Amino acid sequence: MVENSNLRLEEYRRDAESCPGCRGCIWVDHIFCSGSKYSMRCPSLYHRKFDAYSCMGRNKIALGIMKGEVDFTPKTIEIIYQCNLCGACLAACKRNLDLDTDMTLETLRIRAVEKGAAPIPEHKAINDRIAESGNRYGLDNSKRGGWLPGTAKVSDKPEMVYFAGCNSSFRNKEIATASTGILDSLGASYALLDEERCCGNPLYESGDADAALEQAQQNIAALKATGASTVVTSCAECYKVWKVDYPKLLDRSTGEMEYKVLHITQVANKGIQDGSLKLEHPVNMRVAYHDSCKLTRCSDDWVPWHGERGKYGVTIPPKVWRRGINGVIMEPREILASIPGIELKEMIRNGMSTLCCGAGAGVAEAYPEYTENVANHRLDEAEDVGIEALVSSCPYCKDTFTKAAEQGSRPIKCFDITQVLNESIYGKGGL
Ligand code: SF4
Ligand code: SF4
């Protein structure tokens, strides 16, 4: 069992106790919200429409479990896992109170695994496949880098590693090739990991912290072997795992890690701003940008805290609070604004107030009807601002919206931002 008090439910007892049920974690900030149609920030509550399925409700369950008044029953397990761990409640709650709601939700899952009540079968199947094959799909991991074009300018002594992740390695390969296309155009010094394995996101979010730690150690060792000091991801889940969860599992701060993590949008935007990335081909399209929750609210640096609570809950030593405010929000918008021909519209829920696509934290695999419902609600919001395409920065968001759009025969197209960027760089007409 991972020995780290920051991963123990009791560490967040005061947080759960201090929740007065103000419902701030449920609604989008009022000043940004016009009308009630798109006013809810919690996808779980949107789907279930019962307060237990909100952060507020899960705080009560966490407290009940700590007090021995509530058990891990099939119903409490369903409530705990019908949540995207999307951070909407964290960012909202921190407007008023310093409650680490994200950690209460995460450690509740870790406790469920410790008690033998989880991982739930759908998550266990993924975790078993990762253990056996090194990827979430159970495919031959030696073919993981098969998407890499022969023309890619991979370096022998890379400064950065492009970590494609399971999804873009095996499913949305166009995102992986578009990402290396961007790095090539920038003249970046990059390589892939010799032995890339799943980042471990499904393991950690299912509550299996031990397996996630093992995965972290393997991937960090593989990175070290390359000599590179920067990890670049095009997947929002991988980004959060490398930046936040690996340090968390190792009980170190993000700043203490021997590597730096960047999302491809940060790398590309820097190139656009300094003139090294040329966007010469117009992409004539009216789009909205969907902020992935893991890229936006969930990826503030991790800083461990080991201390005591004094009078009125004062933290001794002072705790560095994560408020979900330092995410990658402006870079994708600056990129889209720089592409000739793109007309960028904003949805009501954007930036820190984004709505999760509905897939995250194993919900898509375990509760597909939840994901379908939330994805369709988000597509309604996108269509209401009159766009042709929804652009995102995570392969899971793209998968989720594409599936919902196809099932509903909606005219809206769904792209990853790397694809749109590649079109403007190379003009191959691939969209
Ligand atoms: S915003 Fe925070 S304090 Fe208010 S109900 Fe939600 S979790 Fe509780
Ligand atoms: S993490 Fe997201 S889905 Fe879960 S309770 Fe918070 S807002 Fe709702």
Side-chain angles (χ1 to χ4, degrees), residues 18-25 55-56 59 89 92-93 96-97 99 101:
S18 304
C19 165
C22 71
R23 304 173 72 86
C25 50
C55 179
M56 183 176 69
N59 273 335
C89 48
C93 187
N96 305 320
L97 292 168
L99 307 189
T101 60

Side-chain angles (χ1 to χ4, degrees), residues 298-323:
C298 301
S299 291
D300 277 11
D301 284 1
W302 177 256
V303 182
W305 180 74
H306 299 286
E308 289 177 6
R309 291 279 193 163
K311 202 173 179 186
Y312 307 122
V314 168
T315 53
I316 309 163
K319 183 172 183 172
V320 176
W321 298 102
R322 300 174 66 248
R323 301 178 190 279

